[in-house]
Amino acid sequence: MIFFRNSFFRFLFATILFFVVACSTPNGNNKKTVADDDSASDDDFFDDDSQNISCAPGACDDLAFINTGVEEVILAGPIGYYNSNIRSNQPGEEWAELGAGDLDGDGLFDLVFTVLSDSPSPFYVALNEGGGNFKWQKQATLTCQSVEYSNRGVALADINHDGCIDVAFAGNQCLAYSFGDCSGQFGDVTLVKTDLAATTVAFGDFNHDGYLDMVIGGTGGIEVFLNDGQDGLQLGNTYDVSASWLATADFNEDGKMDIVAASTAETSILLGHGDGTFSVSPKKYPGAFSVSVADLNNDGHLDYLLSGAGGKRAIAVYLGKGNGSFVPGFSYDDLCVQITFMATVGEFDGDGNVDIIAACHDLFKSKTSSYDSALLTILSGNGDGSFHNPFSLDTYQADSIIASKFH
């Protein structure tokens, strides 16, 4: 995907843009062009009838997303413009990956970034000071280099069980992690060598010992690392399942953590035994660029959402039966002109149902523009596993999206 980094595209992103996706969903399949307008009001994004739907304070998720190859993060949310300074202060640095968590215990979600680089480089923290303002902090140098255009190579959780959020990075033949101190600062980076060119990492207590373990994935397979309870991770089993995106959850409701692994070829379910080992389900599902897990139809069973499912443009819902198996549900086969690169779930319209936000990579033209651009599309959940009212914004290409509450 080197064409995302041509000179014209880089020039297009030279200006810092911050905008708001109002927490509402209009009637109809509406689109607005906002890529060249950083001074619009909420009404510029939504038709008048959309203003009849609003979110109570704190009821809706905000968005943070980045474009690989530029030096800025775009934030959007229901409270108005973020006057944010989330961008690199080092010319030429290009964000590669994005993670979020409450790093300093103040109840506000902060951000973690890695830099796209062929040499060792630091990772960065942006501490949320409220009102959309963030404070930069440079952290330790990573010798675990990101696989280019990896978009889920960062994960945050409390690894050493001290009540502070830690950070883990998956990269080229390595796994790295650093312990947080509950103030937004991180210590030295611990490096673990692996055999994978890993693009994704996820957490889960796979052996029921009370400590979070890790799983990393790449085109060469999946590797499970078990937490030894003494600030270390030990390689457990490996599985011949390709994964460009991983998520963990208890899909068969037996109290043991399972794994869903998506690659462009297929999506696989690995059912956990509770001792750190897994069985790969023989049932395969369509390949995808990304996977998100949630109860999409409010039946108490976990479902998952695939972007680029079975083809570059589609999103598809697979409804869980509570026994580790899934059946096809809602799908949208023509969401994007060319590629539905990733999608995630959250609450974006205030009705209590899970919604979808999807990122289109329309490489040559979008539905409303003649130049390289992309769409962010929100689909409102009906609460039964189906979705309606796709509303799209023409904006800059989103390579990593996080839905959380940043205000």
Side-chain angles (χ1 to χ4, degrees):
M1 293 190 289
I2 194 69
F3 40 75
F4 293 156
R5 302 177 64 194
N6 57 56
S7 59
F8 173 74
F9 192 74
R10 290 170 61 84
F11 174 78
L12 186 62
F13 287 98
T15 304
I16 303 174
L17 298 174
F18 300 103
F19 60 85
V20 176
V21 174
C23 199
S24 58
T25 303
N27 295 323
N29 188 7
N30 301 305
K31 306 174 187 67
K32 299 286 183 181
T33 301
V34 299
D36 296 318
D37 185 0
D38 61 356
S39 61
S41 67
D42 287 350
D43 289 340
D44 291 314
F45 296 107
F46 295 95
D47 291 336
D48 291 339
D49 58 1
S50 72
Q51 304 304 318
N52 295 325
I53 303 174
S54 61
C55 288
C60 289
D61 290 322
D62 309 312
L63 303 174
F65 61 95
I66 61 172
N67 168 265
T68 300
V70 297
E71 301 132 13
E72 61 206 37
V73 179
I74 300 172
L75 287 176
I79 64 169
Y81 280 101
Y82 283 114
N83 179 23
S84 177
N85 58 351
I86 301 186
R87 62 164 301 162
S88 173
N89 56 5
Q90 299 293 322
E93 286 184 337
E94 302 171 349
W95 300 131
E97 298 156 346
L98 176 65
D102 184 3
L103 305 180
D104 54 5
D106 64 356
L108 299 173
F109 269 54
D110 311 298
L111 295 166
V112 174
F113 308 89
T114 61
V115 174
L116 184 62
S117 174
D118 294 328
S119 60
S121 57
F123 69 96
Y124 291 86
V125 165
L127 293 180
N128 192 337
E129 297 182 319
N133 295 307
F134 288 75
K135 179 181 178 181
W136 274 106
Q137 293 183 355
K138 182 183 289 188
Q139 303 293 322
T141 295
L142 290 174
T143 55
C144 183
Q145 296 305 299
S146 299
V147 176
E148 190 167 18
Y149 301 113
S150 164
N151 46 61
R152 287 306 299 162
V154 178
L156 280 70
D158 183 5
I159 302 172
N160 59 350
H161 218 275
D162 65 350
C164 302
I165 296 295
D166 311 310
V167 60
F169 308 92
N172 189 15
Q173 295 185 317
C174 56
L175 168 65
Y177 57 95
S178 179
F179 297 128
D181 66 358
C182 286
S183 74
Q185 295 289 328
F186 290 86
D188 293 337
V189 174
T190 299
L191 185 69
V192 180
K193 292 292 185 181
T194 77
D195 294 327
L196 290 179
T199 59
T200 179
V201 57
F203 285 101
D205 183 2
F206 301 136
N207 58 358
H208 278 199
D209 64 353
Y211 290 92
L212 288 175
D213 311 302
M214 272 187 262
V215 55
I216 64 173
T219 56
I222 290 174
E223 293 181 348
V224 174
F225 290 84
L226 298 178
N227 193 327
D228 62 12
Q230 300 178 359
D231 297 348
L233 294 167
Q234 306 298 323
L235 178 63
N237 285 9
T238 63
Y239 300 89
D240 187 19
V241 175
S242 292
S244 56
W245 203 290
L246 293 168
T248 59
D250 181 9
F251 293 119
N252 58 352
E253 301 171 11
D254 63 353
K256 302 165 186 176
M257 194 63 67
D258 309 311
I259 299 170
V260 56
S263 71
T264 54
E266 62 187 15
T267 297
S268 301
I269 303 296
L270 290 77
L271 297 177
H273 301 303
D275 59 0
T277 65
F278 297 83
S279 294
V280 180
S281 172
K283 173 71 173 178
K284 302 298 180 184
Y285 302 91
F289 293 115
S290 72
V291 60
S292 297
V293 175
D295 182 4
L296 301 175
N297 60 350
N298 293 323
D299 67 349
H301 304 311
L302 288 175
D303 316 303
Y304 66 81
L305 167 72
L306 299 178
S307 69
K312 293 182 178 179
R313 297 185 296 179
I315 59 170
V317 168
Y318 282 81
L319 300 175
K321 300 173 67 175
N323 60 2
S325 65
F326 299 81
V327 296
F330 172 89
S331 65
Y332 200 126
D333 295 331
D334 192 22
L335 184 66
C336 299
V337 174
Q338 292 184 333
I339 296 175
T340 307
F341 183 69
M342 69 167 296
T344 192
V345 295
E347 168 60 295
F348 304 120
D349 60 8
D351 65 356
N353 296 322
V354 177
D355 308 311
I356 295 171
I357 181 135
C360 299
H361 282 195
D362 293 341
L363 309 180
F364 305 109
K365 65 177 181 177
S366 75
K367 294 179 179 179
T368 57
S369 302
S370 58
Y371 54 80
D372 280 0
S373 70
L375 296 172
L376 283 177
T377 298
I378 295 175
L379 295 95
S380 294
N382 296 319
D384 59 359
S386 65
F387 298 82
H388 69 284
N389 282 0
F391 177 80
S392 296
L393 294 175
D394 249 351
T395 183
Y396 297 123
Q397 179 174 294
D399 292 322
S400 184
I401 306 175
I402 290 180
S404 189
K405 291 179 173 61
F406 294 106
H407 66 277

